[in-house]
Amino acid sequence: MSETYDFLFKFLVIGSAGTGKSCLLHQFIESKFKQDSNHTIGVEFGSKVVTVGGQTVKLQIWDTAGQERFRSVTRSYYRGAAGALLVYDITSRETYNALTNWLTDARTLASLNIVIILCGNKKDLDADREVTFLEASRFAQENELMFLETSALTGENVEEAFLKCARTILNKIESGELDPERMGSGIQYGDASLRQPRSSQAQVRQQCAC
């Protein structure tokens, strides 16, 4: 039996190598920690159907390699992404310092209106922290990002990160800021039968606004 959903969103998980991107994705999809995680080679893929704001949304998630040698390969996957988790390791100042480069790539190569949530991963290793919550929160604010600290090990805030991102995208669709019909938006309608009623609703709203 095929899945039915209202929307499909293309998501990215980006950030430096060793920040736990693959573990975050695995925790989100499988609800368990990935014990034997090696560095991603190129790109890995996962998907999950979630309910957000009364809508059924399929998240199509591309987990990109953080190593520099794969950069040219992974950058091609940025195209048309609607949302992204930008991940750093709270115990590694180096991964935090690299955030600006990853953010520039995402905003240059992906959808113009990409929704990005900053994730400070490995919250369970608080004793080894090198980046404070306040510092990262300020970075997020300055760059107009949402922000959460997560733990792929315990699962803390992992689902919330993906759902928060999806919820923001849905809100932008509702407000008309994002158009699923536009090429490269990273958003598609799910069931084709849902498309017409939504278009009609949008027309009615526009007529009412006139």
Side-chain angles (χ1 to χ4, degrees):
M1 185 175 161
S2 63
E3 295 172 311
T4 57
Y5 46 87
D6 299 321
F7 292 103
L8 182 146
F9 296 163
K10 179 181 176 180
F11 267 38
L12 298 170
V13 185
I14 57 176
S16 300
T19 54
K21 298 186 301 296
S22 298
C23 293
L24 279 173
L25 179 60
H26 191 78
Q27 176 66 257
F28 176 59
I29 291 172
E30 304 288 341
S31 298
K32 60 186 179 187
F33 183 64
K34 189 178 184 181
Q35 293 288 355
D36 52 345
S37 183
N38 298 313
H39 286 312
T40 300
I41 297 173
V43 175
E44 288 181 7
F45 173 77
S47 69
K48 185 173 181 176
V49 176
V50 295
T51 302
V52 188
Q55 305 276 14
T56 308
V57 179
K58 182 171 185 176
L59 303 182
Q60 196 179 65
I61 308 157
W62 299 90
D63 166 28
T64 63
Q67 291 160 293
E68 189 61 41
R69 62 198 171 107
F70 295 118
R71 203 88 178 253
S72 58
V73 176
T74 57
R75 288 175 77 170
S76 62
Y77 285 88
Y78 282 48
R79 221 164 133 193
L85 268 66
L86 174 59
V87 186
Y88 70 96
D89 173 355
I90 69 162
T91 71
S92 166
R93 167 70 50 184
E94 188 183 353
T95 66
Y96 177 77
N97 290 342
L99 288 175
T100 304
N101 292 337
W102 292 103
L103 187 56
T104 301
D105 275 2
R107 287 188 163 152
T108 307
L109 302 167
S111 164
L112 192 63
N113 295 306
I114 187 169
V115 173
I116 302 173
I117 184 162
L118 178 65
C119 293
N121 195 33
K122 306 191 184 178
K123 193 172 187 287
D124 49 285
L125 299 176
D126 198 59
D128 302 318
R129 178 189 288 274
E130 289 185 4
V131 182
T132 68
F133 181 91
L134 188 64
E135 183 182 6
S137 182
R138 198 175 292 127
F139 175 87
Q141 204 170 7
E142 287 168 359
N143 291 281
E144 299 179 338
L145 308 172
M146 295 176 290
F147 172 55
L148 280 175
E149 286 192 342
T150 57
S151 169
L153 178 65
T154 67
E156 185 178 355
N157 280 340
V158 174
E159 187 172 53
E160 179 56 24
F162 284 95
L163 295 186
K164 200 170 184 178
C165 205
R167 202 176 298 122
T168 304
I169 295 167
L170 269 179
N171 290 341
K172 289 190 175 212
I173 294 170
E174 289 293 320
S175 69
E177 198 177 330
L178 283 175
D179 179 10
E181 302 280 1
R182 189 175 64 79
M183 282 284 286
S185 67
I187 305 160
Q188 292 173 27
Y189 285 108
D191 192 334
S193 66
L194 296 168
R195 183 180 304 204
Q196 186 52 46
R198 288 186 183 284
S199 302
S200 303
Q201 285 166 15
Q203 285 165 4
V204 169
R205 278 202 300 270
Q206 284 171 351
Q207 286 163 4
C208 292
C210 293

